Amino acid sequence: MSASSRRIKFVSISLPVLYGNHAYKLTPETRKATTPQDHTHEWTVFFKPVLGDIDLTPLLKKVTFKLHETYENPIRTVERPPYQVTETGWGEFEIIIKLHFHPGVDLGINEKNFQIFHALKLHPYNPQHPKRENGEVHSVLYDELVFNEPTDKVFEILTKKPINLIPYKLSSPDKRDQEYIRPDETDELNRLDVYIEKVKDEIAHQAELYKSLEQEKIALTQ
Ligand code: SLL
């Protein structure tokens, strides 16, 4: 066994990520001449680390988004961040987001690939939720990529800048309870608070960004 394929026993490293979609109703202003008549929405599906300054290119060769077969070339490949696809359409469907790691990178000994099934949302789905103006929908989910017993190489990539994550240790390989290598748990809780704040900020930021782009577009067409 070479040094690069040796695995670090009982150690896991978790990478908080966000994925999902934003959707906006098309208006006469935002509709392009080439937009098919029956398309009612513009949407963007994306995958990204919660912390915006983390660059995943050392881990990811590419991310593919598998759209409904009503789309031309339904498998869309994105090789650099931002990992996202923007389209217009009329219907909701399931999008398969697949992470393709570089050779030698995986989530664990029997976990070579990672797929996320995201239900594209165009319509506000919870009648209890207040409706947003313009019928915007933001369906954003939180998850964690857990790298189990990483190889030395993966450990290096994950714990050094720009990724810079903190590893944790399992008390035994079959136990789910986890002992943090860092003795201070409050440290970890503080990190979670940071992540939650970031999630909120990011959702607000994306909504703002879209609004100003939309205004620019309207200004240009006048
Ligand atoms: C539905 N099962 O019936 C889903 C299918 C398909 C969505 C939705 C546009 C494709 C195109 C599009 O929105 N497809 O014409 O480019 O709701």
Side-chain angles (χ1 to χ4, degrees), residues 15-103:
L15 170 69
V17 297
L18 291 174
Y19 65 91
N21 79 274
H22 306 297
Y24 309 90
K25 265 189 197 156
L26 285 168
T27 64
E29 288 80 24
T30 58
R31 188 176 278 284
K32 294 194 187 93
T34 51
T35 308
Q37 272 307 308
D38 58 344
H39 287 194
T40 51
H41 290 76
E42 179 176 305
W43 49 260
T44 299
V45 60
F46 65 89
F47 167 84
K48 64 179 172 190
V50 169
L51 296 174
D53 50 354
I54 289 184
D55 173 9
L56 296 183
T57 48
L59 292 174
L60 291 176
K61 192 165 73 156
K62 60 183 179 180
V63 177
T64 53
F65 297 85
K66 187 167 183 281
L67 311 182
H68 195 262
E69 53 267 23
T70 45
Y71 283 91
E72 247 178 72
N73 311 317
I75 299 173
R76 307 289 169 86
T77 299
V78 185
E79 288 180 349
R80 317 228 106 232
Y83 301 109
Q84 61 182 48
V85 171
T86 297
E87 263 295 352
T88 61
W90 50 263
E92 298 181 334
F93 55 91
E94 190 169 71
I95 297 178
I96 303 173
I97 306 171
K98 192 169 176 181
L99 310 184
H100 302 257
F101 296 111
H102 286 298

Side-chain angles (χ1 to χ4, degrees), residues 26-209:
L26 285 168
T27 64
E29 288 80 24
T30 58
R31 188 176 278 284
K32 294 194 187 93
T34 51
T35 308
Q37 272 307 308
D38 58 344
H39 287 194
T40 51
H41 290 76
E42 179 176 305
W43 49 260
T44 299
V45 60
F46 65 89
F47 167 84
K48 64 179 172 190
V50 169
L51 296 174
D53 50 354
I54 289 184
D55 173 9
L56 296 183
T57 48
L59 292 174
L60 291 176
K61 192 165 73 156
K62 60 183 179 180
V63 177
T64 53
F65 297 85
K66 187 167 183 281
L67 311 182
H68 195 262
E69 53 267 23
T70 45
Y71 283 91
E72 247 178 72
N73 311 317
I75 299 173
R76 307 289 169 86
T77 299
V78 185
E79 288 180 349
R80 317 228 106 232
Y83 301 109
Q84 61 182 48
V85 171
T86 297
E87 263 295 352
T88 61
W90 50 263
E92 298 181 334
F93 55 91
E94 190 169 71
I95 297 178
I96 303 173
I97 306 171
K98 192 169 176 181
L99 310 184
H100 302 257
F101 296 111
H102 286 298
V105 175
D106 59 44
L107 294 171
I109 195 140
N110 288 316
E111 297 159 284
K112 301 294 173 206
N113 281 314
F114 192 78
Q115 292 194 89
I116 295 165
F117 298 85
H118 173 65
L120 176 70
K121 293 284 177 202
L122 302 185
H123 309 288
Y125 42 95
N126 188 340
Q128 309 293 316
H129 284 173
K131 283 224 168 73
R132 289 170 186 264
E133 48 177 305
N134 312 330
E136 293 178 18
V137 171
H138 304 280
S139 175
V140 180
L141 291 112
Y142 173 86
D143 205 345
E144 287 176 31
L145 291 185
V146 180
F147 296 81
N148 290 314
E149 308 209 323
T151 59
D152 289 338
K153 176 185 164 170
V154 172
F155 187 89
E156 276 281 300
I157 296 173
L158 290 169
T159 55
K160 281 203 332 214
K161 284 181 177 171
I163 301 187
N164 213 18
L165 295 169
I166 301 170
Y168 57 87
K169 199 171 181 180
L170 301 169
S171 52
S172 112
D174 8 84
K175 273 197 195 152
R176 283 287 130 207
D177 61 323
Q178 292 151 6
E179 285 167 19
Y180 290 93
I181 283 180
R182 280 237 181 146
D184 190 2
E185 257 185 50
T186 53
D187 205 347
E188 201 57 35
L189 289 173
N190 289 341
R191 276 172 83 93
L192 277 178
D193 281 343
V194 173
Y195 290 141
I196 291 165
E197 277 313 304
K198 287 271 184 189
V199 173
K200 285 188 195 151
D201 285 353
E202 190 52 36
I203 292 170
H205 172 71
Q206 292 276 348
E208 279 309 311
L209 200 68

